[in-house]
Amino acid sequence: MNGSVTALKRSQPTAGKMFIHLVFILLCVASLFPFLVIIGTSFQSENDIVKFGYSVIPKNFTFDAYRVILHEPKVLFQSYFVTIATTVIGSLVGMWVTTTYAYAISRKDYRFRSFLAFFIFFTMLFHGGMVPSYILMVKWLGLKNNILALILPYLISGWFVLLMKGFLQTIPEAVIESAKIDGAGELRIFAQIVIPISKPALATLGLFFALQYWNDWWLTLLYVEHDNLMKLQYLLIRVLKNMEYLNSAEAIQYGLVKPGMLVPSLSARMAMCILAAGPMLLVFPLFQKYFVQGLTVGSVKG
Amino acid sequence: MSPTMGKKARWLGTGTSAMLAAAMIVSGCSSSKEEGSSSPSASSGASESASPSASPSASAPASQPADTGGDTKDFVKLSWYMPKPIDNMKDQAAVEAEANKVIKEKLNAELHLNLIDNAGWEDKMKLISAAGEPYDIVFSTFSSNRISDNVQKGAFLPLDELLQKYGQNILAKVDQRAWKAVTYKGKIMAIPAQTPYAPAGAHVFKKDMVEKYKFDYKSVKSIKDLEPFLAEIKKNEPNMIPLLATANGTAAGVSLYDYTTITPGISYSEKDGKIVKILGVPENKENYKTINDFYKKGYIAKDAAIKTDYLAEAKSGKYAVMRDSGGYTEDGSKSTATYGFPTVETLAGYPTISTNSMTSAATAISATSKNPERAMMLLNEIWGDKYLLNTLAYGVEGKNYTVKSGTVKDDNPTIEATTGADQTWAIWHNWLGPLWDQWDSNWNSTAALQEMKKNNDNGKASGILGFIFNPEPVKTEIAQVSAIQKESNPILTTGSMPDFESYYTDLQKRLDAAGMDKIMAEAQKQFDAWKAENS
């Protein structure tokens, strides 16, 4: 009944329908436009930006900004590698740690449940702060300039654990009980029943983790001094700082920049934006359907 | 002057390695980063307690100057934290090795530089001192890795005694007035470097325009004198904008040279020794009024208040009158180089030397240092031994610079340092300390350095040298005031308001409502206390 009505409506475009389409087309353009400006500006020369402002179609097409950034592609690729590695490892391990912890405290028949739940909840209310965590990481664990320093601190967070626990608690105890009666051990229950049921929640969690690890630059700032361990986002901050410096009067005085020369900082910013977001832009549409599914199913159920 | 496109592109290719050239510095030595300070020999504690005047140790070579006559028996490693202006300080290992030859021989020590990129410098230093990590020497200024903050936290060591014992070269060379700027509660907390203390302000003119309209630019004494020239440009040059003003920069001569800023909005009047609200100074109002007048007459771009990049605007060559950017040269050579087209300059004035300008580069010894004596000896050596200083500043001969005349041995060569973004060792020279001792080079000629020194010597020091305002008690008021200033400054500097009088008085009222009087009272209180303590 419902289906046939929509089919009927779809076949005859009414003014209302057209209006809705128009609104969405405009919305679509509106959200695409900033991106087009970014792409356009990244091909503009710095002088043109000063003179004419940002534009979608550059007056004088130039690759200067990309030449600047890609001149040392090794560094960029290295940081891509570090970022991807930490994102993948961090997300997988983080999901594992979070899920197992959450599962343990979601089981009502677990003896230390309330203690462990409080234990993780406590970290959400009070945390040690930056200096103690720095001392822990650097002095006690000795992880300065170690890739583990880019992974460990984000592996578990109270918020994610409670989120996951909320979902796992919706699994009826009867399911677990019946599995037990059928002779399954705890590990088997977890691996073959709980994990498959919580796929949507895991997808959501995975997305959160991946975003956190991909966007992180803070850990690099704190714990890394080696240039081959830099994450992409931190590298971009550095490039920006350098370009600011190169456009200062000092840099001209020291002969770093030719007189009257403008280092493409604005256009390079845009170019960097594309290079940094590029992979995510390619990856996102491929995974998006899973994400959407995970998120919606998760919210409907949880 | 104008490079061809090909040249430009090629330069971009090599030059901009600066930006991403990070990875190449990866050198074996950086893995031993912490070792420098965390693994001093066990007996180093002994050297601390041992009387320094007790016999210069036997292991010290005969060449050792008397003033470093401390105990250098035990070999120690010293670490020095510094920001790097740009991320391609190549050849660090080689430069350190060369410098360490001297340091080892004279001090039986080894130096490792921990160069931290600009992006992380501030946060990293805060953490390192908060975590109590051991290190020896650190770069510090009034604004970055702030001296006053560090002193408050107790992160730096008082230097008086060390300077007396091991720092004779330093004491001899630092501008005597500058010690005031680094003295906290009667204790010297850092060593001020030799830097230009009071860079002059200047009006900069586009040379072809000055020649075309035969304008006597040297007659300009105040911004009002600019008017006839600006009017002529406005009338005859439709493609030009007569005067450059942006949200963060206005014409030279607008800021008052006789007033030293204590905290934004509050200044110290050098003339009568009073603390005043800067907007309340009649001269200041007059200057802003003139700018507003220029704006109304169309001498300033309509959208000036939303332009934020002064340098980029100036380089575009659209403006007839600009401001200099740091320092003044009689022939306009500096602004010509900066802006990339021929310019001429005329002096607008010298600001008074303030505490801040004397501490734009300084060196401190960490409270966590295991070998503060040796650290001071090293600094003394750098202030005394030109070869060591210049090795740290320029790098290794043949690799980072070539000698054009003279020899490095007699300490008086003229050298050609590798320039461009390929090589940036020389860029931080003024952070090491004794800038005037730098060899004559294409980076900093001896003549230019002498000129700078002369300017410093002749510069008038502020009457409140050494006074540092502590904003803590009036933090909320300052936050409110600076919010208003953030919004009003672009309008003031570009003169883009329709009714000057009402805007100006209204702004004063708003600032007063935000707590200006309270800040001023606090400044006055602190100033009085400081005065009582220091006279």
Side-chain angles (χ1 to χ4, degrees):
Chain A
M1 172 70 192
N2 221 352
S4 65
V5 169
T6 38
L8 206 73
K9 271 193 182 161
R10 201 174 290 149
S11 61
Q12 22 179 243
T14 60
K17 266 263 146 130
M18 295 286 278
F19 176 73
I20 289 171
H21 279 290
L22 199 71
V23 166
F24 275 99
I25 287 169
L26 284 177
L27 263 178
C28 199
V29 171
S31 44
L32 260 181
F33 188 72
F35 206 74
L36 292 178
V37 172
I38 289 177
I39 296 176
T41 309
S42 72
F43 291 109
Q44 248 179 316
S45 82
E46 196 71 4
N47 273 324
D48 284 359
I49 295 178
V50 173
K51 275 188 194 144
F52 313 115
Y54 301 130
S55 61
V56 178
I57 300 148
K59 281 219 164 57
N60 301 304
F61 212 74
T62 163
F63 283 102
D64 278 358
Y66 289 93
R67 214 172 283 138
V68 165
I69 293 173
L70 293 174
H71 181 251
E72 211 70 41
K74 206 185 132 221
V75 187
L76 193 70
F77 287 129
Q78 182 79 31
S79 67
Y80 260 128
F81 174 75
V82 172
T83 308
I84 292 169
T86 50
T87 304
V88 171
I89 299 170
S91 302
L92 290 177
V93 179
M95 277 159 72
W96 170 256
V97 174
T98 306
T99 314
T100 44
Y101 198 110
Y103 177 65
I105 59 175
S106 75
R107 284 281 296 274
K108 293 200 173 64
D109 49 349
Y110 178 51
R111 193 171 156 200
F112 301 110
R113 174 173 181 260
S114 52
F115 168 72
L116 283 178
F118 176 75
F119 191 70
I120 197 84
F121 178 63
F122 189 78
T123 63
M124 289 174 71
L125 297 177
F126 306 97
H127 38 86
M130 197 166 75
V131 174
S133 62
Y134 180 84
I135 294 176
L136 172 73
M137 291 295 289
V138 173
K139 278 201 176 159
W140 291 22
L141 301 177
L143 289 181
K144 203 166 197 177
N145 290 322
N146 189 320
I147 195 158
L148 278 177
L150 299 177
I151 296 174
L152 277 185
Y154 289 160
L155 275 187
I156 195 159
S157 90
W159 166 240
F160 289 170
V161 169
L162 293 188
L163 193 89
M164 201 61 199
K165 178 191 163 225
F167 179 87
L168 292 172
Q169 264 172 342
T170 61
I171 299 173
E173 247 170 289
V175 174
I176 292 161
E177 249 164 48
S178 64
K180 251 189 199 158
I181 290 162
D182 286 345
E186 286 295 348
L187 266 182
R188 198 183 164 108
I189 294 173
F190 181 66
Q192 287 195 333
I193 295 177
V194 176
I195 294 274
I197 292 179
S198 40
K199 257 187 203 154
L202 282 173
T204 315
L205 194 65
L207 176 66
F208 284 157
F209 266 115
L211 280 179
Q212 189 175 30
Y213 278 106
W214 184 269
N215 288 331
D216 167 67
W217 53 271
W218 180 242
L219 295 178
T220 315
L221 188 151
L222 293 187
Y223 304 122
V224 172
E225 275 159 26
H226 284 198
D227 291 321
N228 54 356
L229 259 182
M230 261 185 320
K231 286 183 80 167
L232 189 62
Q233 313 291 346
Y234 187 76
L235 182 79
L236 299 185
I237 296 174
R238 248 170 78 151
V239 171
L240 280 184
K241 284 264 179 189
N242 276 344
M243 268 184 293
E244 258 169 44
Y245 188 82
L246 284 180
N247 270 333
S248 71
E250 235 179 336
I252 299 159
Q253 189 194 338
Y254 294 145
L256 285 173
V257 182
K258 290 261 160 61
M261 178 75 213
L262 271 180
V263 178
S265 82
L266 290 169
S267 51
R269 244 170 246 209
M270 303 301 173
M272 269 181 330
C273 179
I274 290 168
L275 290 175
M280 275 287 157
L281 283 176
L282 292 179
V283 168
F284 211 77
L286 293 177
F287 284 88
Q288 199 209 16
K289 61 176 182 188
Y290 301 107
F291 289 150
V292 169
Q293 212 177 21
L295 284 168
T296 47
V297 173
S299 64
V300 166
K301 276 199 175 172
Chain B
M1 202 73 253
S2 61
T4 64
M5 192 53 214
K7 257 187 187 165
K8 192 171 163 183
R10 202 187 54 207
W11 173 82
L12 271 170
T14 53
T16 46
S17 59
M19 278 141 246
L20 286 178
M24 63 188 97
I25 315 173
V26 181
S27 50
C29 66
S30 32
S31 62
S32 61
K33 198 144 292 224
E34 257 62 65
E35 279 164 39
S37 44
S38 60
S39 64
S41 52
S43 47
S44 66
S47 73
E48 214 166 307
S49 54
S51 155
S53 54
S55 67
S57 88
S59 70
S63 66
Q64 188 183 325
D67 52 74
T68 58
D71 186 354
T72 55
K73 201 161 55 204
D74 308 305
F75 175 73
V76 298
K77 289 181 169 182
L78 297 168
S79 62
W80 190 337
Y81 273 93
M82 252 210 231
K84 43 182 171 178
I86 207 149
D87 294 317
N88 66 336
M89 310 271 292
K90 278 194 222 173
D91 306 323
Q92 188 183 346
V95 176
E96 272 176 15
E98 183 66 27
N100 277 331
K101 273 189 219 159
V102 180
I103 298 169
K104 176 89 179 52
E105 185 195 324
K106 293 209 171 157
L107 304 172
N108 195 22
E110 191 182 288
L111 168 68
H112 176 65
L113 293 163
N114 292 319
L115 300 176
I116 298 187
D117 56 56
N118 254 328
W121 164 250
E122 211 58 49
D123 291 302
K124 266 191 184 146
M125 281 327 295
K126 268 188 199 131
L127 270 177
I128 285 167
S129 65
E133 248 177 72
Y135 67 94
D136 300 294
I137 306 172
V138 68
F139 176 76
S140 179
T141 81
F142 73 92
S143 64
S144 115
N145 189 30
R146 290 168 59 103
I147 302 177
S148 48
D149 290 353
N150 278 299
V151 169
Q152 222 162 23
K153 284 187 287 191
F156 289 170
L157 221 57
L159 301 179
D160 303 73
E161 240 173 273
L162 288 170
L163 275 169
Q164 287 306 329
K165 276 184 194 154
Y166 312 107
Q168 290 309 319
N169 291 336
I170 303 173
L171 288 173
K173 283 184 184 170
V174 170
D175 188 324
Q176 288 312 309
R177 298 168 298 177
W179 289 117
K180 269 194 192 172
V182 289
T183 302
Y184 292 78
K185 300 211 164 114
K187 293 242 189 298
I188 292 172
M189 301 307 292
I191 299 166
Q194 292 170 337
T195 51
Y197 290 152
H203 302 281
V204 175
F205 302 86
K206 202 156 182 270
K207 200 173 180 190
D208 51 351
M209 289 294 131
V210 169
E211 278 165 2
K212 192 169 168 189
Y213 297 103
K214 301 198 172 54
F215 179 61
D216 179 16
Y217 65 92
K218 289 202 167 153
S219 69
V220 174
K221 295 283 174 260
S222 77
I223 47 170
K224 281 208 173 113
D225 301 338
L226 291 170
E227 172 128 32
F229 183 56
L230 298 176
E232 204 143 21
I233 298 286
K234 171 79 183 163
K235 203 168 74 193
N236 302 321
E237 300 285 337
N239 292 328
M240 302 230 13
I241 299 166
L243 180 66
L244 173 56
T246 61
N248 51 0
T250 186
V254 171
S255 55
L256 304 174
Y257 291 115
D258 283 338
Y259 291 83
T260 306
T261 307
I262 291 175
T263 179
I266 306 276
S267 287
Y268 172 79
S269 162
E270 301 291 346
K271 281 181 289 190
D272 48 16
K274 284 203 176 84
I275 287 173
V276 293
K277 289 182 217 165
I278 195 75
L279 285 187
V281 177
E283 222 181 319
N284 200 31
K285 187 174 177 184
E286 198 53 41
N287 283 344
Y288 282 133
K289 198 178 172 178
T290 312
I291 290 292
N292 175 246
D293 187 41
F294 287 175
Y295 180 79
K296 281 184 182 155
K297 286 179 179 156
Y299 302 159
I300 292 171
K302 280 270 162 277
D303 57 349
I306 54 166
K307 292 189 160 135
T308 51
D309 198 337
Y310 194 96
L311 201 58
E313 292 293 330
K315 282 181 187 173
S316 73
K318 285 191 296 188
Y319 300 87
V321 180
M322 293 146 291
R323 185 188 59 179
D324 76 323
S325 45
Y328 150 78
T329 46
E330 209 159 307
D331 56 355
S333 56
K334 189 164 173 303
S335 52
T336 297
T338 309
Y339 296 146
F341 48 80
T343 60
V344 287
E345 291 179 59
T346 188
L347 186 72
Y350 286 99
T352 42
I353 298 175
S354 65
T355 307
N356 283 0
S357 56
M358 284 190 149
T359 46
S360 62
T363 310
I365 295 182
S366 167
T368 57
S369 170
K370 303 254 168 81
N371 300 289
E373 286 88 358
R374 216 65 74 81
M376 181 57 85
M377 286 181 215
L378 171 67
L379 291 175
N380 194 52
E381 205 57 43
I382 289 174
W383 281 78
D385 184 336
K386 279 195 185 181
Y387 179 74
L388 178 58
L389 164 76
N390 283 289
T391 299
L392 288 173
Y394 288 118
V396 184
E397 184 183 348
K399 196 167 186 162
N400 308 113
Y401 68 86
T402 48
V403 177
K404 272 167 71 190
S405 67
T407 57
V408 297
K409 289 279 169 263
D410 66 14
D411 273 345
N412 216 9
T414 296
I415 63 159
E416 178 90 18
T418 324
T419 63
D422 294 339
Q423 175 46 253
T424 48
W425 271 100
I427 206 173
W428 64 340
H429 50 184
N430 49 354
W431 297 351
L432 290 166
L435 181 63
W436 316 146
D437 287 354
Q438 199 153 17
W439 292 334
D440 194 35
S441 79
N442 51 332
W443 288 75
N444 250 350
S445 70
T446 312
L449 289 174
Q450 260 155 10
E451 190 60 30
M452 264 186 234
K453 183 177 186 314
K454 213 176 78 197
N455 275 344
N456 275 6
D457 293 345
N458 297 337
K460 201 166 96 255
S462 164
I464 52 168
L465 207 57
F467 172 61
I468 291 156
F469 180 64
N470 173 19
E472 206 55 37
V474 282
K475 227 162 74 184
T476 26
E477 285 79 12
I478 287 183
Q480 282 168 9
V481 163
S482 60
I484 297 173
Q485 281 172 334
K486 209 172 159 193
E487 167 211 318
S488 64
N489 279 348
I491 297 169
L492 280 180
T493 57
T494 58
S496 27
M497 70 285 272
D499 181 358
F500 179 76
E501 283 298 334
S502 75
Y503 184 87
Y504 201 84
T505 43
D506 186 51
L507 180 62
Q508 281 177 304
K509 270 186 213 142
R510 278 173 66 205
L511 285 172
D512 285 344
M516 208 60 177
D517 289 304
K518 209 172 159 197
I519 302 174
M520 195 156 124
E522 180 64 32
Q524 186 72 50
K525 197 179 103 193
Q526 290 186 22
F527 175 66
D528 290 340
W530 174 81
K531 218 170 160 186
E533 213 174 281
N534 286 277
S535 57

